[in-house]
Amino acid sequence: MSTHAEAAGAHGHGHGHGHGADHVPHVLPLKVYIATWLALLVLTVVTVGASYVDLGAANLAIAVLIATTKAGVVALIFMHLKWDHKFHTLIFASSLIFLAIFIGFTMFDTANRGRAEGIEAERPADIKAPFDGKRAADDWRMKRAHKAPPPPAQGAHGNGAEQAK
C-alpha cells in the first residue's frame, strides 16, 4: 500500500484531509433542511411583499433587514455555525460588522452626489493654470451669485436713503 493511501485510510475517509481531534461532522435530519427551506421561502415572500409597500426611506432598511435575516439562516444552517465553535461565529459576525461599517462610510456621501456639477459646469477648471488670480476672483463672484436672495424691502416708506433726498 502506498504512503498516500495509508495516510488517507488513517483519517477515516478516503481523501486525506486532516481534521483536529475535536472535529465532528454534522449530519442534519431532513426535517431541519425542510424547515430551513420553508423559512427561506417565507422570507422571500416577505421580501416580495415589502417591495410593494412604500415606506419612504425605511424601504432600504427593511430590505437590508430581511436580506440579513435570510443570510443569517443560511449561515447558521448550511455553514453549520449553529453547531460549530462559538469563536467561528464570532469571527463571521465580526466580518459582517466590518462590512457594514465600510458600506456605511460609503453611503455617507450619497445625499451630496451631484451637488457641485452645476457650479463645475459654469466654470470648468483651467488645467494649465489652476492657481492663478483670475480663478480666485471667479470663485468669489460664484460664491456671491449662489448665496441666498436679499431680504425684501422695508415697508412702504422705503429705506432712509430715499427719505433724505
Side-chain angles (χ1 to χ4, degrees):
M1 193 159 150
S2 72
T3 57
H4 179 71
E6 290 171 2
H11 292 296
H13 46 80
H15 49 81
H17 292 283
H19 296 287
D22 62 344
H23 176 74
V24 178
H26 289 280
V27 179
L28 299 176
L30 185 60
K31 67 180 182 179
V32 173
Y33 289 114
I34 292 173
T36 304
W37 175 70
L38 289 173
L40 292 172
L41 193 63
V42 167
L43 287 168
T44 301
V45 169
V46 169
T47 302
V48 172
S51 70
Y52 288 106
V53 178
D54 185 19
L55 298 174
N59 279 355
L60 178 63
I62 291 170
V64 168
L65 180 68
I66 296 169
T68 303
T69 304
K70 290 187 332 188
V73 168
V74 168
L76 285 172
I77 303 301
F78 295 121
M79 293 175 65
H80 297 276
L81 287 178
K82 184 174 179 182
W83 299 277
D84 206 353
H85 296 285
K86 297 306 172 200
F87 180 72
H88 296 152
T89 304
L90 179 68
I91 296 294
F92 183 71
S94 298
S95 67
L96 293 178
I97 290 169
F98 283 115
L99 177 66
I101 290 170
F102 293 144
I103 290 174
F105 279 128
T106 303
M107 298 301 285
F108 277 145
D109 75 338
T110 56
N112 296 318
R113 290 182 184 171
R115 279 180 73 184
E117 290 175 2
I119 295 171
E120 290 170 353
E122 291 177 18
R123 55 180 179 94
D126 183 8
I127 59 172
K128 292 183 180 179
F131 301 110
D132 66 349
K134 179 181 178 296
R135 175 72 183 214
D138 287 344
D139 287 346
W140 181 79
R141 278 195 293 279
M142 291 300 292
K143 286 179 184 176
R144 289 198 57 187
H146 288 285
K147 283 192 176 186
Q154 302 174 0
H157 297 294
N159 59 19
E162 267 185 74
Q163 292 175 354
K165 285 185 182 177

